[in-house]
């Protein structure tokens, strides 16, 4: 709040008129009117006065200074109508599967093996015989999108999600190794690191570690054993954080509704499926193992339903209704602001809870 101060400076001229009257002269015909012709200049200076310069706030003053802004303190409570922001739903992502072919890396000389194979099997239980490297295989995209975010939501920092019947969404990844079922009953998936979308809040199985900032999911503490020739990884998605502005909102001018869409990659960054002697079927032969050259790799990603936005943290711009606040009376305004001719206008009044 600023007040304009008008400073007037004027030079006052005092004219003393002295006359000597000589009785020898007849003054009756003399014009005794005295005139002064002068141009008086009054300098005018406009300056700003801030409230800091005229307010000396006392400890018990009704007016308080909050970080350079003046507020009127009025004790009391008020209630508004219930704040009602509609929930929104993120459509169930439909993810294209990954299909690839992996060359088999041999760790044992099957062709040069000598002796009875049945006798050798027992010695090879814990020996890696061959493996297939999962790094460098294909990738797929996971799209998260919604178009019914209420217009009162200005920005989203984090969303808690679930389904209509649960507090989390199940995300299932399945790694399949095809073409070796006749020879291999299972395998050990070792050093597995997956790239997932950033910002997910996940509850993990099998001692996995997920970094929401990078989107990497690692299983390095223990190898993952496949069931048959597939490995299922179940993750519980409980929320999404706005990492790198992935939850940026855009507004539909026609409907007033807002939307966001972000896409993350799913792929294997590192890891290999290793087959040990104990992972072989009982009827396998040396020639069978020598002929294994390639493995068909398949990876699928599936969600168990639509993703409901349960609650969120962020900013809203909501028009409160039903507020009934008693009039506020300001009693200790300084005289300089409380005199005739002074007008105080309040712009953009705001309510703070203190």
């Amino acid at each position: 709040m600023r007040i304009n101060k008008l400073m007037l400076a004027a030079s006052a001229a005092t004219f003393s008129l002295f006359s000597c009257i000589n009785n020898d002269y007849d003054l009756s015909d003399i014009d005794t009117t005295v005139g002064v012709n002068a141009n008086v200049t009054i300098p005018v200076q406009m300056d700003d006065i801030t409230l800091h310069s005229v307010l000396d706030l006392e400890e018990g003053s009704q007016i308080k200074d909050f970080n350079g802004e003046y507020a009127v303190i009025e004790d009391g409570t008020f209630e508004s109508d219930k704040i009602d922001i509609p929930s929104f739903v993120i459509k169930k992502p439909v993810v294209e599967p990954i299909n690839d072919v992996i060359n088999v890396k041999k760790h044992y000389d099957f062709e040069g093996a000598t002796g009875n194979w049945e006798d050798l099997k027992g010695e090879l239980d814990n020996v890696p015989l061959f493996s297939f490297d999962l790094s460098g295989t294909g990738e797929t995209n996971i799209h998260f999108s919604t178009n019914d975010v209420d217009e009162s939501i200005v920005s989203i920092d984090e969303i808690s999600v679930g389904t209509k019947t649960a507090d989390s969404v199940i995300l299932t990844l399945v790694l399949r190794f095809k073409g070796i079922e006749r020879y291999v009953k299972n395998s050990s998936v070792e050093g597995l690191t997956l790239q997932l979308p950033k910002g997910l809040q996940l509850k993990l199985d099998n001692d996995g570690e997920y970094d929401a900032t990078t989107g990497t999911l690692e299983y390095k503490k223990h190898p993952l054993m496949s069931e048959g020739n597939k490995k299922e990884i179940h993750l519980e998605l409980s929320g999404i954080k706005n990492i790198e502005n992935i939850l940026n909102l855009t507004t539909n001018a026609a409907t007033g509704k807002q939307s966001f869409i972000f896409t993350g990659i799913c792929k294997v960054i590192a890891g290999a499926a290793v087959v040990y002697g104990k992972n072989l079927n009982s009827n396998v032969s040396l020639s069978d193992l020598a002929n294994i050259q390639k493995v068909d790799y398949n990876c699928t990603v599936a969600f168990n339903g639509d993703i409901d936005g349960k609650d969120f943290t962020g900013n809203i711009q909501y028009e409160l209704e039903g507020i009934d606040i008693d009039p506020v009376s300001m009693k200790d305004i300084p005289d300089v602001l409380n005199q005739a001719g002074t007008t105080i206008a309040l712009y953009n009044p705001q309510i703070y809870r203190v």
Side-chain angles (χ1 to χ4, degrees):
M1 180 186 299
R2 295 193 173 186
I3 306 165
N4 286 326
K5 176 180 66 176
L6 179 64
M7 297 182 63
L8 299 178
S11 298
T14 302
F15 299 92
S16 299
L17 301 178
F18 297 94
S19 62
C20 293
I21 301 176
N22 190 333
N23 292 328
D24 293 334
Y25 292 94
D26 183 2
L27 301 180
S28 59
D29 291 332
I30 298 177
D31 185 359
T32 58
T33 301
V34 178
V36 178
N37 295 320
N39 293 323
V40 180
T41 301
I42 303 176
V44 177
Q45 177 181 355
M46 301 298 293
D47 199 2
D48 292 334
I49 299 177
T50 62
L51 282 181
H52 279 289
S53 62
V54 296
L55 289 184
D56 185 13
L57 300 180
E58 299 178 358
E59 183 175 349
S61 174
Q62 187 184 14
I63 303 175
K64 299 293 183 182
D65 182 352
F66 289 100
N67 299 322
E69 296 184 358
Y70 289 97
V72 178
I73 305 300
E74 182 74 11
D75 292 334
T77 61
F78 72 92
E79 292 184 359
S80 69
D81 291 345
K82 181 180 178 182
I83 296 177
D84 184 16
I85 299 177
S87 60
F88 55 87
V89 176
I90 300 173
K91 299 174 183 177
K92 175 184 176 180
V94 178
V95 185
E96 292 292 326
I98 300 172
N99 293 295
D100 215 327
V101 178
I102 304 174
N103 292 323
V104 172
K105 182 178 181 180
K106 303 289 181 60
H107 301 286
Y108 185 82
D109 184 9
F110 298 106
E111 296 178 354
T114 58
N116 187 294
W117 173 240
E118 294 299 325
D119 295 336
L120 288 173
K121 280 184 178 180
E123 300 176 5
L124 299 175
D125 275 357
N126 297 310
V127 176
L129 303 180
F130 56 89
S131 63
F132 22 102
D133 188 1
L134 301 176
S135 62
T137 52
E139 64 182 47
T140 190
N141 292 322
I142 303 177
H143 302 284
F144 298 87
S145 66
T146 181
N147 57 8
D148 62 349
V149 179
D150 189 75
E151 60 185 349
S152 63
I153 299 177
V154 177
S155 63
I156 299 174
D157 298 326
E158 183 177 335
I159 311 171
S160 295
V161 302
T163 64
K164 294 187 181 300
T165 58
D167 292 332
S168 61
V169 178
I170 303 301
L171 167 59
T172 303
L173 291 87
V174 182
L175 310 179
R176 294 179 177 88
F177 314 112
K178 301 178 180 180
I180 57 173
E181 299 88 345
R182 177 184 170 187
Y183 317 114
V184 178
K185 58 185 178 181
N186 54 27
S187 59
S188 175
V189 181
E190 302 177 359
L192 182 64
T193 301
L194 296 163
Q195 177 67 60
L196 296 178
K198 300 175 182 179
L200 306 183
Q201 292 181 291
L202 299 174
K203 296 179 182 178
L204 310 176
D205 58 0
N206 297 304
D207 296 324
E209 295 181 0
Y210 172 75
D211 185 341
T213 304
T214 62
T216 54
L217 171 60
E218 297 182 341
Y219 292 95
K220 291 189 174 180
K221 292 182 179 179
H222 307 287
L224 304 178
M225 292 305 301
S226 66
E227 301 86 17
N229 285 296
K230 70 176 182 179
K231 176 57 188 174
E232 293 188 3
I233 300 174
H234 301 282
L235 308 172
E236 290 186 42
L237 175 63
S238 60
I240 303 173
K241 290 185 176 182
N242 192 15
I243 302 293
E244 296 181 2
N245 207 28
I246 59 175
L247 301 179
N248 182 48
L249 296 172
T250 57
T251 302
N252 185 315
T255 65
K257 291 290 186 178
Q258 302 184 98
S259 63
F260 66 75
I261 179 171
F262 73 93
T263 300
I265 294 173
C266 178
K267 68 176 181 179
V268 175
I269 299 174
V274 183
V275 177
Y276 294 82
K278 60 187 176 184
N279 304 130
L280 298 175
N281 289 324
S282 58
N283 59 349
V284 71
S285 68
L286 275 172
S287 59
D288 290 333
L289 299 177
N291 289 329
I292 297 176
Q293 303 295 327
K294 297 179 182 296
V295 172
D296 292 324
Y297 167 69
N298 170 263
C299 176
T300 58
V301 181
F303 293 80
N304 67 334
D306 288 339
I307 303 171
D308 289 355
K310 297 291 187 179
D311 53 63
F312 77 99
T313 58
N315 296 316
I316 65 171
Q317 186 172 343
Y318 190 88
E319 185 174 342
L320 294 174
E321 297 180 352
I323 299 178
D324 185 12
I325 304 176
D326 293 335
V328 176
S329 177
M330 298 175 61
K331 302 176 181 178
D332 57 353
I333 300 177
D335 292 340
V336 70
L337 302 180
N338 197 25
Q339 57 189 339
T342 300
T343 301
I344 299 177
L346 300 179
Y347 297 94
N348 188 29
Q350 302 179 33
I351 300 173
Y352 294 87
R353 179 182 176 184
V354 296

